[in-house]
Amino acid sequence: MKKIFAAVVFMISALVLVACSNQQSLDGDYYKIYNGKENALVFKIEGDNSYYYPDGVESSATVDEKNHKINYTDKGVNFSLDYDYDSSGELTYSGPFGKDQVYKKGSEAYKRAIEKKD
């Protein structure tokens, strides 16, 4: 009986570890890509040390993965961007200034966007 219980606990632990390791990390550099060329760095996400580059100027940011929000302060004003992340590496975000999409460097979505010429 103890062996069966130990085997069941082991299998459940393995499933939990596999499920957690399959979560897609947002960490990375995200670029706008126009006409098949990397245009501008928009986000640098590194856990608690994240940055947003509106107009090319670095602003500290926090990423709230639970609520799909990126929060940052620009010139003393707090902003919040809603985002959706595609497992292929495309991040679509929207806020007070509209909606846009960026691509995680090295991801499948990034490679497809670089290959695409408008």
Side-chain angles (χ1 to χ4, degrees), residues 4-23:
I4 293 173
F5 179 74
V8 169
V9 169
F10 175 76
M11 291 172 62
I12 291 172
S13 298
L15 287 173
V16 169
L17 288 173
V18 168
C20 289
S21 67
N22 283 340
Q23 289 182 346

Side-chain angles (χ1 to χ4, degrees), residues 9 16 20 28 30 36 44 52 54 68 75 82-83 94 98 108:
V9 169
V16 169
C20 289
Y30 292 82
K44 181 184 255 330
Y52 175 49
H68 294 261
K75 297 178 181 117
D82 296 316
Y83 76 86
S94 60
E108 288 302 314

